[in-house]
Amino acid sequence: MNILARYGLPRMTVVLIMLTAILMPIGLVVWQSGLDAPFFMPNHAYGLDAYRFIFDDPDFWSALKNTIIIAVTMLAIAVPLGGALAFLLARTDLPCRRAIELMVMVPVFVSPFVLGFGYVVATGPVGFYSLWFQQLFGVIPWNIYSVGSIAVIAGLTHVPHVYLYASSALKNLGSDVEEAARVSGASPFEVARRISLPMVSPSLLYAGVLVFFLGFEIFGLPLILGDPEGHLVLASYLYKLTNKLGIPSYHLMAAVAVCLICVTFPLVLLQRYLLRSANRYIAVKGKVTRQKRLPLGNWRWAAFALVTMWLFVTVVVPLSGITFRAFVSFWGEGVTFSEAFTLHAFAEIWNQPNLLRSVLNSVLIGVIGGAVAVMAYTAIGLASHRKQDGLTRIVDYLVLIPRAVPGLLAGLAFLWVFLFVPGLKELRSTLISVWLAYTVVWLAYGMRLISSALLQVAPELEESARTLGASAGRTSRDVTIPLIKFGLLSSWVLMFMIFEREYSTGVYLLSPGTEVIGSMLVSLWAAGAVDIVAALSLINVALVAIGLAIALKFGVNLHE
């Protein structure tokens, strides 16, 4: 009773629901990892046999080695390129900045699975660009299926993650110090290396930890590109464990999952520490109100060519490959587009109920599911808004936990919850199971969007309402929420695009009635239905493009 009086029933209810939604599936995973058989088998016993099995399995160590190689390469490529891109777009007179800023965001909102498939059909052994290159030069100098290629592609496609944080920091700094350096004779390269990028080093460090963390949960690219030569990473090793043994091996999958959490959770805590202490690192800064773009001089078009080359490799090559492949029935040496052109794959999607349902479900989960998720995030945000007590600290740490869990594992954990928790089994074959998994997996991101909107409301407006006798609930309903309605709209549009691109979380939740494009793509790729994968991928990209167009129409800040 005292606790209820102290924290309030609505706040306690919100936090308890969040606590249950986060800890129940993760608790199931940890518990399952300590059993020697799937937990629903009658003869299971406690023990560490699952850990012994995976630690004795050479494939596990091979997958761990590949994961580390990919994560380190991503870090080495994404941080310098992302920092340079942010400097060029935020601080210099680079040509076509507005168009480039828009295209830079494409790899963030397009599913990695779709990008991986695009690289296969564009630059694989019989890919469009590979055959054209071979006709011109007589050889294909790359192997898209090697670990090195996977790592390079992963690094290039994660450049926007670093760009987002670095450009936001650069836009909040004045340009006085940079101008002084230029007047003193420093070249644009020296200004970037010695002045601009060191001033935003906390943001670069934060983004670097994020990219390294993403390297450990990467799944789509290695699944598509690594399969032909048998290269596994930890997430794809987890996905293939059942196929490897031929029997349900949930205890082994749970053990791998716990190993992944042991690596990723400290990285998430490190990110939080870096974010909180970021301001302490900024010792030198200019006036925010005065910014002047630095002239690149003779380097202007060279820098433009460098950025264009990155966009071509990262955006144009995979997306043009998908578009081309969706409209041909086959492709190879000597085949022309006119003789291979067909709309058969799109007709198949229209005629097969499960495929058509996956498109409709994706739209529903993005439009309605995204809106309900924003409502849930808003309720959590209001529960901790303006209150610095123990309950708020619990919320702060709870929202970080799902970030440490890869989407593939989260989907598996929610499958167990909906299968074995009494009262939830009936919801297993509905979109509620997919929506809940998506909402929890993207909790940290959604909360960041809502918190940014809430922080823009001046506290005196809410205090005025309370002074006039309004309760906390009425203050939120009549003052806070109306003031952040544009922020909520922006959050909904961004969550729509995130839910449209999501793929790994729905893999284990795929069943008749819960099909979404992302999980169907993984399933169809395993079945070898390349034509349908290409057509569905193109539809998925089109849905994301529609969301992006709506976001730009409403002036949504994509740098949030």
Side-chain angles (χ1 to χ4, degrees):
M1 186 64 187
N2 289 334
I3 294 178
L4 286 179
R6 182 177 178 185
Y7 296 116
L9 182 60
R11 288 186 73 205
M12 288 291 293
T13 304
V14 168
V15 174
L16 283 175
I17 292 174
M18 185 176 70
L19 195 72
T20 306
I22 293 172
L23 295 187
M24 185 185 289
I26 294 177
L28 265 176
V29 170
V30 175
W31 177 49
Q32 174 64 89
S33 73
L35 304 177
D36 65 351
F39 64 87
F40 50 84
M41 302 285 282
N43 57 346
H44 68 255
Y46 292 97
L48 298 176
D49 289 351
Y51 291 95
R52 289 193 193 95
F53 178 90
I54 63 170
F55 290 152
D56 288 340
D57 185 2
D59 285 346
F60 171 79
W61 295 107
S62 173
L64 178 63
K65 177 186 170 188
N66 291 338
T67 303
I68 293 173
I69 290 173
I70 291 173
V72 171
T73 309
M74 286 169 61
L75 191 66
I77 292 176
V79 172
L81 280 184
L85 192 61
F87 172 76
L88 290 171
L89 292 178
R91 308 300 264 187
T92 71
D93 61 347
L94 186 79
C96 308
R97 285 191 313 278
R98 287 188 177 278
I100 292 173
E101 277 185 325
L102 181 61
M103 291 191 70
V104 163
M105 302 303 298
V106 172
V108 175
F109 293 116
V110 175
S111 162
F113 188 94
V114 172
L115 287 176
F117 177 69
Y119 279 110
V120 168
V121 295
T123 59
V126 291
F128 308 112
Y129 290 97
S130 300
L131 293 181
W132 290 335
F133 196 91
Q134 189 177 32
Q135 288 170 4
L136 288 174
F137 301 101
V139 65
I140 302 173
W142 56 77
N143 174 15
I144 200 73
Y145 301 129
S146 68
V147 174
S149 295
I150 298 170
V152 170
I153 290 172
L156 291 174
T157 53
H158 282 79
V159 165
H161 291 81
V162 179
Y163 161 78
L164 281 174
Y165 289 101
S167 65
S168 295
L170 283 170
K171 287 175 181 176
N172 288 326
L173 294 174
S175 57
D176 305 47
V177 182
E178 293 164 338
E179 288 175 35
R182 286 288 286 159
V183 171
S184 301
S187 68
F189 175 73
E190 288 175 317
V191 172
R193 186 169 62 88
R194 296 186 176 182
I195 307 292
S196 305
L197 296 181
M199 288 171 73
V200 296
S201 57
S203 297
L204 288 174
L205 194 58
Y206 177 87
V209 174
L210 172 69
V211 168
F212 190 68
F213 159 79
L214 292 175
F216 275 84
E217 70 163 15
I218 192 168
F219 172 64
L221 277 174
L223 181 69
I224 296 285
L225 301 178
D227 243 13
E229 293 188 357
H231 301 304
L232 295 172
V233 295
L234 285 178
S236 55
Y237 172 76
L238 186 154
Y239 176 63
K240 290 177 173 294
L241 264 176
T242 296
N243 294 338
K244 181 175 182 175
L245 300 179
I247 57 173
S249 50
Y250 290 154
H251 55 306
L252 304 179
M253 297 166 76
V256 178
V258 171
C259 293
L260 270 171
I261 293 173
C262 288
V263 174
T264 54
F265 192 65
L267 291 173
V268 172
L269 293 179
L270 178 60
Q271 272 187 297
R272 179 185 171 83
Y273 171 77
L274 291 173
L275 190 64
R276 280 194 161 187
S277 58
N279 289 334
R280 292 192 295 112
Y281 289 83
I282 301 175
V284 180
K285 59 182 179 181
K287 295 178 182 176
V288 180
T289 54
R290 185 167 176 267
Q291 285 195 358
K292 186 177 178 182
R293 295 196 177 274
L294 295 174
L296 288 172
N298 295 332
W299 291 98
R300 194 163 182 251
W301 290 105
F304 176 74
L306 183 67
V307 174
T308 305
M309 188 182 299
W310 172 78
L311 283 173
F312 177 76
V313 173
T314 311
V315 178
V316 176
V317 167
L319 294 190
S320 62
I322 288 170
T323 306
F324 205 61
R325 187 63 183 83
F327 292 100
V328 297
S329 55
F330 58 96
W331 190 253
E333 198 168 352
V335 178
T336 62
F337 180 76
S338 57
E339 67 183 16
F341 175 79
T342 180
L343 295 175
H344 175 73
F346 295 97
E348 279 293 300
I349 293 173
W350 181 259
N351 292 326
Q352 292 192 28
N354 61 331
L355 297 178
L356 187 59
R357 198 161 50 231
S358 72
V359 177
L360 297 176
N361 284 347
S362 292
V363 175
L364 284 176
I365 204 78
V367 175
I368 299 177
V372 180
V374 169
M375 290 167 63
Y377 299 149
T378 305
I380 298 170
L382 290 172
S384 56
H385 183 52
R386 311 284 188 215
K387 300 178 181 68
Q388 296 300 322
D389 54 19
L391 212 56
T392 297
R393 284 191 288 277
I394 291 174
V395 171
D396 283 348
Y397 280 96
L398 274 179
V399 299
L400 294 176
I401 294 176
R403 193 69 199 91
V405 181
L408 184 71
L409 166 62
L412 176 63
F414 274 99
L415 171 67
W416 293 343
V417 168
F418 280 95
L419 279 180
F420 300 106
V421 173
L424 295 180
K425 195 170 183 178
E426 291 72 20
L427 301 175
R428 161 72 183 92
S429 58
T430 69
L431 278 181
I432 292 176
S433 61
V434 180
W435 169 79
L436 184 59
Y438 280 19
T439 302
V440 172
V441 165
W442 290 99
L443 176 64
Y445 185 84
M447 286 302 300
R448 188 176 170 212
L449 296 174
I450 298 300
S451 298
S452 299
L454 287 172
L455 287 174
Q456 292 174 1
V457 179
E460 54 265 29
L461 297 174
E462 296 162 336
E463 289 167 6
S464 300
R466 292 198 188 97
T467 304
L468 295 173
S471 65
R474 186 168 182 184
T475 302
S476 298
R477 189 175 65 248
D478 293 343
V479 178
T480 310
I481 292 178
L483 288 172
I484 63 168
K485 59 184 179 184
F486 185 76
L488 296 179
L489 178 65
S490 302
S491 303
W492 170 67
V493 175
L494 291 172
M495 294 315 298
F496 168 81
M497 287 190 283
I498 293 293
F499 282 10
E500 290 304 319
R501 79 186 284 276
E502 182 59 55
Y503 65 104
S504 58
T505 307
V507 168
Y508 288 107
L509 295 169
L510 178 63
S511 68
T514 63
E515 303 95 337
V516 289
I517 290 179
S519 56
M520 283 300 291
L521 286 175
V522 178
S523 175
L524 291 166
W525 174 257
V530 177
D531 295 356
I532 306 295
V533 170
L536 268 182
S537 296
L538 190 59
I539 292 172
N540 185 244
V541 172
L543 290 174
V544 173
I546 291 170
L548 193 59
I550 294 173
L552 295 174
K553 177 73 176 176
F554 283 98
V556 173
N557 183 8
L558 298 175
H559 290 72
E560 287 288 351

